[in-house]
Structure formats: structure tokens, C-alpha cells
Amino acid sequence: AEDGLIAPAVGAIGPPSPVLLMNALVDRQRTNGLHHVDRPLAEAIEVARDVIKRFTEDEELDKAFLIYNEFKSVLQQRVVVEQLLPVSRAKSETNDASAASQQGSQIDYIYEQPAAEMFGQLLPRLIQTQIFRALLESIASEQGARMTAMDSASKNASELIETLTLNMNRVRQAAITNEIIEVVSGAA
């Protein structure tokens, strides 16, 4: 870019709604296409391969982030941003765990396979799993939001039916009362 900043590349997985956001925020040539999720695991594997290839072989990406809706409950979802690549070390939550991890990191383990070969097999699996989990979380969040919306729509429809039924009964009762008044006044 002109100011020395690199424009981000954006890839979307799911229905077309993210495309509107992507087109508004990012140059169209920098997007990674739109993926529809019919088979989440197959989609996760495909996207993971593409991201890893663009990160390692093409060196097109410096960092890869995953942004998705996390399912908390049917009524609550939250947007989460996680860094996929480069893979960061797990953060210890307590001092005891930190001390144990430091002591464990000083131990030299012997592996049958070379570290590069193991990493080459584990990295794709890690990225696939993270993307697959994000897809499942997003699908669950979408279904929860739909369920909540449908429940709200059903309640609103029930209230509307009750109001219309009450109004219809009032109009019918008024018509009956008018007919009775006409019959009584005509007979007299």
C-alpha cells in the first residue's frame, strides 16, 4: 500500500452475508473466495490446506486469524478472534503450572520421528481441528439465533392472533346487539 501498510487478505466461510462486509472493507482482489458450508469437516480440511500453503510455501501470509461466533447458549453468542498461524505457545494460567512447564521444558525428550516430520503432520491437523471447531461453533450459534428469533416471532404472532380475535369478537357482538335493537324497535 502507499502508506507502507499491507492490506489484509480475507476469506469467508459460510453464507453470502460476509461477502457484503468483505466487499465494503477489503479490496476484492485480496479476498480468498467464499466457501459454503455443506460438509463442515471437508470444508475445514480444504481451508486449512489453503491457509497452511499460503503461510508456508507461498509466504503470502504473515499471520492468519480465525474470527467466528462462539456458542455460549441459545440466547448468547460472542465473536471470537483467534490467531491460527504462527502457532503460539500455550499460556499458563497459574504460577504452579508455569513452574511445572518451565521444569518440563528443561527435559529433553527423544522422539522416534524427527521434529520437523512430526510438526509437518501435526500442524495441518491442528489447523483443521481449529477451523472445524469454529465452523461447528458458528453453526450452533446460527441455529441458536434462529431458534430464538422463531420463538420470538411465534410469541408475537400469538399475541397478534389474540388481539385480532378480541377485536373480531367485539365487532361481531356489536353487530348482534344492533340487530337485536333493530328487531326490538321494529316490533314496537
Side-chain angles (χ1 to χ4, degrees), residues 92-112:
S92 301
E93 294 185 13
T94 63
N95 291 337
D96 295 336
S98 177
S101 69
Q102 286 177 354
Q103 184 181 19
S105 65
Q106 294 174 356
I107 298 172
D108 190 23
Y109 293 99
I110 300 172
Y111 299 103
E112 281 188 29

Side-chain angles (χ1 to χ4, degrees), residues 50-166:
D50 182 51
V51 169
I52 292 169
K53 179 181 179 282
R54 293 174 70 194
F55 184 77
T56 58
E57 295 172 18
D58 301 344
E59 296 182 4
E60 194 177 311
L61 301 176
D62 293 329
K63 290 183 178 181
F65 291 92
L66 189 60
I67 304 170
Y68 63 95
N69 288 324
E70 182 182 39
F71 179 78
K72 289 294 203 180
S73 70
V74 174
L75 298 173
Q76 181 185 13
Q77 300 86 28
R78 71 181 184 109
V79 176
V80 175
V81 178
E82 287 182 0
Q83 182 174 329
L84 280 178
L85 292 170
V87 177
S88 59
R89 292 184 178 263
K91 296 177 183 174
S92 301
E93 294 185 13
T94 63
N95 291 337
D96 295 336
S98 177
S101 69
Q102 286 177 354
Q103 184 181 19
S105 65
Q106 294 174 356
I107 298 172
D108 190 23
Y109 293 99
I110 300 172
Y111 299 103
E112 281 188 29
Q113 295 177 326
E117 187 178 329
M118 282 181 29
F119 187 71
Q121 292 175 1
L122 291 176
L123 178 65
R125 185 67 54 102
L126 172 68
I127 302 303
Q128 290 169 7
T129 304
Q130 287 179 323
I131 293 173
F132 182 58
R133 180 183 51 81
L135 286 173
L136 293 179
E137 291 269 354
S138 291
I139 290 168
S141 294
E142 178 186 1
Q143 294 303 322
R146 286 179 185 221
M147 199 167 91
T148 303
M150 289 304 295
D151 184 50
S152 178
S154 295
K155 286 180 183 175
N156 289 341
S158 295
E159 290 175 8
L160 182 61
I161 288 170
E162 287 177 19
T163 303
L164 290 175
T165 302
L166 185 62

Side-chain angles (χ1 to χ4, degrees), residues 171-181:
V171 169
R172 189 174 52 90
Q173 186 65 40
I176 292 171
T177 304
N178 284 340
E179 286 181 19
I180 293 173
I181 290 174

